[in-house]
Amino acid sequence: MTATPEGDAAPVPGGPRAVALGGGHGLYATLSALRLLTERVTAVVTVADDGGSSGRLRGELGVLPPGDLRMALAALADHTPSGALWGELFQHRFGGSGALAGHAVGNLLLAGLIEVLGDPVAALDEACRLLGVRGRVLPMSAEPLVIEAEVVGLGHDPNDETTVSRIRGQVAVASTPGRVRRVWVQPSHPKACPEAVAAVRDAELVLLGPGSWFTSVLPHLMVPELRQALLDTPARRVVVLNLAPQPGETAGFSPERHLDVLCQHAPELRIDAVLADTGSVPVPERLQRSAAALGARAVLAPIGEPDGSPRHNPAALAEAVRSVLDGPPVESGRRDRERDSEMRAAPSREESTRWR
């Protein structure tokens, strides 16, 4: 592989057809890893953001929130001088205090392309050509979605599990001081992007996560056609776990609790492998059992940055994904095992801040 100025490597010609689902920094990490394995990468991106620059453009223009789409494009931008420049420009945010303050250039360009072309998929394909992307970036739905959640612990007693509140909006869900029980999207049966559905059905590898669990990962399962494609695809389905709980959204979650929540929202979904950082799993045996209940094997590897920061290292994550592709398929008999009752227990206090 040819090294780039950023320390990555050039995309491998050919390679497996890979699809990554998610949004934000988690999807950026996954795409940065996948591009080291294959140039046939498709990003399927959440479209429910309602905060910051994306929220402003969504509210003012009625377009898809472009922020997560922009980050996926930047992750896959060509590492030639031209591609790198355009990728940096897409990520650049205006400063100051005027009307443009806080807007990312890429958000404005995507919003403009969507208005000019009248089709978000065509706009994203054009942006891919501009950045020299080998692969594709697609929205999970061509219409902006709204995330809603059922939350407990918002009353005077934070331990009260009987008072249930409903909150609306991605930012509100991601930052809630309560405990999220479940999420759904509005409209309740959104139409999936047909190209995204086709990519999942045709894939050889599908990655779900890492990222904000309730607002970037699980929403893909709320789009009926996309959910069915995830069930039907012959691809190896891999869940990539976060390196630490996210304050607000998943505070206090153990690694296996993330899998419990995934199962609760899509009990029929079966996974082939669960990737987790070795140093982020306090009790590997518990994660192994929880993964087995999904039909999967847990693969523990040092996939975080060497300095201990809660970020995935693209090269290490790529190597772990490669090991899953090269490994034996999961036995079909394991797919029907019931969840271990221990996995349903609430996370311990020791896991309330970090897993390590």
Side-chain angles (χ1 to χ4, degrees):
M1 298 182 186
T2 303
T4 70
E6 298 179 357
D8 277 338
V12 175
R17 295 183 299 276
V19 176
L21 300 95
H25 294 283
L27 181 60
Y28 188 98
T30 304
L31 296 174
S32 298
L34 283 178
R35 66 176 295 157
L36 303 180
L37 298 176
T38 177
E39 62 181 11
R40 298 193 290 178
V41 179
T42 299
V44 178
V45 187
T46 182
V47 288
D49 193 4
D50 60 357
S53 170
S54 288
R56 290 159 61 189
L57 292 171
R58 173 180 178 170
E60 293 172 10
L61 303 177
V63 297
L64 288 177
D68 291 323
L69 297 164
R70 181 200 82 244
M71 289 194 68
L73 287 165
L76 294 174
D78 194 352
H79 281 166
T80 62
S82 176
L85 175 60
W86 277 108
E88 182 180 356
L89 179 63
F90 258 63
Q91 294 286 63
H92 176 73
R93 288 188 184 273
F94 291 106
S97 57
L100 290 178
H103 277 303
V105 173
N107 288 358
L108 298 175
L109 286 173
L110 285 175
L113 279 170
I114 292 172
E115 285 204 338
V116 169
L117 298 177
D119 178 1
V121 173
L124 287 163
D125 285 344
E126 191 62 39
C128 283
R129 283 189 283 272
L130 186 65
L131 275 72
V133 169
R134 293 182 176 89
R136 210 169 186 194
V137 174
L138 298 168
M140 65 180 185
S141 173
E143 57 183 318
L145 304 181
V146 176
I147 293 177
E148 296 184 346
E150 183 180 273
V151 179
V152 296
L154 289 179
H156 295 296
D157 181 3
N159 295 315
D160 179 16
E161 297 281 341
T162 62
T163 303
V164 179
S165 303
R166 290 191 175 187
I167 56 178
R168 179 181 175 91
Q170 178 170 322
V171 172
V173 174
S175 59
T176 179
R179 294 179 297 284
V180 181
R181 280 187 171 176
R182 65 184 183 97
V183 293
W184 59 93
V185 297
Q186 295 292 348
S188 58
H189 291 83
K191 183 172 178 56
C193 170
E195 293 84 353
V197 171
V200 171
R201 289 186 179 278
D202 190 48
E204 296 169 90
L205 171 69
V206 172
L207 296 188
L208 190 63
S212 301
W213 215 245
F214 286 105
T215 56
S216 290
V217 178
L218 293 180
H220 291 80
L221 301 171
M222 310 298 142
V223 181
E225 294 164 293
L226 192 55
R227 182 188 186 116
Q228 191 60 48
L230 284 167
L231 298 180
D232 295 341
T233 181
R236 292 205 179 188
R237 288 164 287 203
V238 181
V239 170
V240 183
L241 290 178
N242 295 332
L243 299 175
Q246 181 175 346
E249 189 167 321
T250 55
F253 274 36
S254 63
E256 52 271 10
R257 176 60 179 155
H258 283 70
L259 298 184
D260 285 340
V261 169
L262 176 63
C263 185
Q264 289 164 10
H265 283 77
E268 72 277 35
L269 180 64
R270 290 296 176 260
I271 302 298
D272 293 284
V274 175
L275 287 183
D277 179 61
T278 306
S280 298
V281 180
V283 188
E285 294 79 11
R286 288 178 58 184
L287 183 62
Q288 291 282 359
R289 291 196 298 271
S290 191
L294 284 167
R297 60 189 175 99
V299 178
L300 275 62
I303 57 177
E305 290 289 357
D307 62 5
S309 59
R311 293 181 295 115
H312 289 82
N313 179 274
L317 180 56
E319 189 58 35
V321 172
R322 190 195 308 275
S323 74
V324 171
L325 285 172
D326 293 342
V330 178
E331 301 91 335
S332 60
R334 293 174 58 188
R335 294 188 178 281
D336 298 322
R337 294 181 183 176
E338 296 182 353
R339 296 202 147 260
D340 191 293
S341 59
E342 180 185 357
M343 297 304 101
R344 300 185 183 276
S348 66
R349 291 185 180 274
E350 287 75 17
E351 297 168 337
S352 63
T353 54
R354 291 187 63 83
W355 300 339
R356 300 182 177 181

